Amino acid sequence: MAFINAEGAKADRAFWVPLESVTIDPSKNFSRWRTTEPPSPGLIEDIRTNGQHTPVICRRVKPSNSLELVAGFNRAEAIRLINEGLPEDQQVKLRVIVHDLAPESVIATCLGENLHVKQLNAMDRCKIVVTLRAQGKSDEEIATGFLFCSVASVYQYGQLDLLEMSIKEQVADGLISLRGALELLKVEEEHRASVVTAAVEAKANRVSTPRPPGKRERRAIGPSDMKAAANKQGLTPKATKPLKRSMGEVVDFFTQIVNEPAAFGPKQRDVAQFMLDLISGASGDDDRACERLAEILEPAEMAVGA
């Protein structure tokens, strides 16, 4: 296989470089909550047998002009594992493509291919939300410019950061669903581990019980499992309060959705228009109308409080 020399290579053209010539910082893998998770055996074997088809994305770092990995961490790690123990002249090189990326564009680029193949789990998305909020991005910007989901979903992913590390691990592994984790947040912190344990035990008992034909047990622990486990222990969920908004703010929120067809789907815009029609037809009790809207919007608006 002929390798194209990196010297003088044009931007956006793929070329091959030794793996060690690329700076790889796992903490900048914004599309993965666990930065130490190894690539799949299938990916390693495919690269070993057929070579690296898709180049990783790098950017030039000033003033050294060195290459920094932006997207393709799994491919780079797979090549590192393949090269372990091989003589230097037999080691696989890394196929890269260089983009001139501003620092604020790095996260979006890192997320692109993972979102395309839907490889991000709830904790991955939580990390993205927390990182972008720290950079000053609003939930609306994160929803429309990065995760391509509803503002309500951004809020929910962000809430996962309030969980203890052991529970985050179970969410990342798919053992606890997103809604199950949100239900768990209604329980005081000191009781959460026992609620999870009880929910896991109850689920194990159900799995061991024969199911009717055609009915399968859900793999992940959901909100009903968490709620039942908490009730069995006599735990009262923490009170949740809708975030208060003026009628003008609510109207602005739905108007933005209706007027941005590129950012929101037709169903979202239809619902937003319905809500605007509902508001315009409301009469008399403005406070009650806002209260009812807050109830409807509870997944997006609730704030888990003490």
Side-chain angles (χ1 to χ4, degrees):
M1 182 179 293
F3 296 111
I4 301 174
N5 195 315
E7 291 299 323
K10 295 181 178 179
D12 295 344
R13 180 181 178 183
F15 54 93
W16 303 85
V17 296
L19 181 64
E20 60 271 16
S21 68
V22 176
T23 301
I24 302 174
D25 183 356
S27 68
K28 293 186 178 180
N29 184 4
F30 299 107
S31 63
R32 280 287 176 268
W33 178 65
R34 286 197 190 97
T35 56
T36 57
E37 193 165 355
S40 69
L43 175 63
I44 296 173
E45 188 56 35
D46 182 52
I47 293 177
R48 193 197 310 273
T49 305
N50 304 310
Q52 179 192 343
H53 302 293
T54 307
V56 302
I57 298 175
C58 294
R59 73 184 186 106
R60 294 283 183 189
V61 180
K62 306 294 184 183
S64 64
N65 210 34
S66 60
L67 293 176
E68 179 185 56
L69 185 64
V70 172
F73 286 83
N74 279 346
R75 274 162 278 160
E77 177 62 11
I79 288 175
R80 187 191 69 78
L81 293 172
I82 291 170
N83 288 342
E84 281 186 344
L86 290 178
E88 187 174 345
D89 61 346
Q90 295 180 24
Q91 290 186 358
V92 177
K93 290 191 175 184
L94 181 68
R95 190 181 184 205
V96 307
I97 191 167
V98 179
H99 291 321
D100 184 18
L101 296 171
E104 60 269 19
S105 303
V106 169
I107 295 181
T109 304
C110 183
L111 301 182
E113 63 183 20
N114 299 82
L115 284 169
H116 178 68
V117 295
K118 299 183 178 179
Q119 287 182 340
L120 302 179
N121 64 44
M123 287 312 307
D124 295 332
R125 293 169 188 267
C126 172
K127 177 180 178 179
I128 294 162
V129 171
V130 171
T131 302
L132 291 173
R133 281 176 174 173
Q135 295 185 359
K137 300 291 184 185
S138 68
D139 284 8
E140 286 81 3
E141 290 174 311
I142 297 171
T144 58
F146 294 88
L147 290 181
F148 307 104
C149 62
S150 67
V151 176
S153 295
V154 170
Y155 174 83
Q156 291 175 337
Y157 293 133
Q159 289 296 96
L160 297 181
D161 197 47
L162 301 174
L163 293 168
E164 297 71 34
M165 183 58 67
S166 61
I167 297 173
K168 289 179 179 179
E169 292 279 355
Q170 294 179 76
V171 175
D173 288 335
L175 302 177
I176 299 175
S177 71
L178 169 63
R179 291 181 59 205
L182 294 173
E183 184 67 31
L184 188 61
L185 280 170
K186 298 178 183 179
V187 177
E188 296 291 348
E189 184 176 334
E190 61 266 28
H191 299 302
R192 289 174 190 163
S194 64
V195 169
V196 171
T197 300
V200 169
E201 291 175 351
K203 187 174 182 64
N205 291 335
R206 288 201 308 274
V207 170
S208 64
T209 304
R211 305 279 293 173
K215 295 208 73 173
R216 294 188 302 172
E217 183 68 35
R218 295 191 318 270
R219 176 174 178 257
I221 296 172
S224 58
D225 302 309
M226 292 297 186
K227 188 177 294 186
N231 290 341
K232 195 170 183 179
Q233 296 183 34
L235 299 175
T236 304
K238 293 192 298 183
T240 60
K241 299 181 295 183
L243 183 66
K244 291 190 178 296
R245 285 188 171 184
S246 69
M247 183 62 80
E249 289 175 314
V250 172
V251 170
D252 289 344
F253 175 77
F254 288 119
T255 301
Q256 178 188 8
I257 296 176
V258 171
N259 293 336
E260 295 188 13
F264 299 94
K267 288 185 178 179
Q268 291 172 307
R269 298 199 304 277
D270 286 347
V271 171
Q273 186 61 60
F274 171 79
M275 297 304 292
L276 287 172
D277 294 342
L278 180 65
I279 293 169
S280 64
S283 60
D285 192 349
D286 185 79
D287 288 340
R288 176 54 193 152
C290 278
E291 184 181 333
R292 178 63 186 135
L293 285 171
E295 292 170 0
I296 295 171
L297 296 171
E298 184 177 359
E301 304 298 325
M302 71 175 184
V304 177

